[in-house]
Amino acid sequence: MTIPVQHVITSVHEAASKTEKLLLLVGGPGSGKSKILREMATMRGWKYVDARTLVTEEILEMSPKMRPQQAPNKIEESLDILHAEVILIDNVEVFMAPVVNLEPLALVKQISKKHTVVVGWPGDYYDGKLVLDYNGQRHECVGDISDTNIVVIA
């Protein structure tokens, strides 16, 4: 079943009214997450960002111990420059890479306090649990998602 883009746009507007302005677009490989993000960028003029571009040399040079505290601020600075109504972030699994070692859910939740963010989330959402697929492995995410808008693409 394909999720209509208009349904996702409506969910974005709902998310934008919350403290954490976050919408997770959850689906497995080939489910159409990236396609929907790009389509919304074209239709609405929202900014599409590949998460790999957010992992800068400055972030990689941070000590692994300090990176979880310092990297979100650097990423927010990169997103501030966009002056975007909504930011569409794809490929967040890159934050799980051992060289980066950031917790994607905590990171996007922090970013969403300042920016309205739609995240293409590779994985599943079931029974109130959010799972991220990375390198063929499934990682159950820890964190409160009770107030997070989630659209599942089957």
Side-chain angles (χ1 to χ4, degrees):
M1 175 180 85
T2 303
I3 301 290
V5 171
Q6 191 55 49
H7 171 73
V8 179
I9 290 171
T10 300
S11 297
V12 172
H13 292 298
E14 290 170 9
S17 67
K18 297 182 177 181
T19 302
E20 290 178 352
K21 301 172 284 298
L22 175 63
L23 171 68
L24 298 178
L25 192 56
V26 180
S31 61
K33 300 176 303 295
S34 296
K35 180 181 177 197
I36 290 172
L37 292 175
R38 287 186 189 102
E39 197 170 325
M40 288 190 303
T42 301
M43 287 174 57
R44 306 295 298 220
W46 295 342
K47 301 296 183 185
Y48 175 90
V49 177
D50 188 313
R52 294 173 288 202
T53 66
L54 298 173
V55 180
T56 62
E57 189 172 320
E58 186 176 6
I59 288 173
L60 294 174
E61 289 175 350
M62 293 174 182
S63 75
K65 185 175 182 178
M66 295 306 297
R67 193 174 296 137
Q69 290 81 32
Q70 296 174 344
N73 293 330
K74 289 298 174 189
I75 291 171
E76 281 181 5
E77 288 173 13
S78 297
L79 297 175
D80 286 345
I81 294 168
L82 299 175
H83 301 288
E85 176 188 2
V86 176
I87 299 170
L88 312 165
I89 303 177
D90 205 1
N91 300 309
V92 294
E93 64 274 18
V94 72
F95 298 130
M96 293 279 299
V99 69
V100 181
N101 198 27
L102 292 171
E103 207 301 301
L105 182 60
L107 179 61
V108 297
K109 285 174 67 82
Q110 182 172 338
I111 291 168
S112 73
K113 290 177 183 175
K114 187 172 183 181
H115 301 278
T116 301
V117 179
V118 181
V119 176
W121 192 270
D124 294 307
Y125 175 71
Y126 58 92
D127 297 331
K129 296 178 182 168
L130 184 64
V131 175
L132 179 81
D133 292 338
Y134 173 69
N135 267 359
Q137 297 195 347
R138 300 170 56 75
H139 302 271
E140 189 170 319
C141 298
V142 178
D144 181 15
I145 55 170
S146 59
D147 198 36
T148 302
N149 286 45
I150 297 174
V151 173
V152 177
I153 303 174

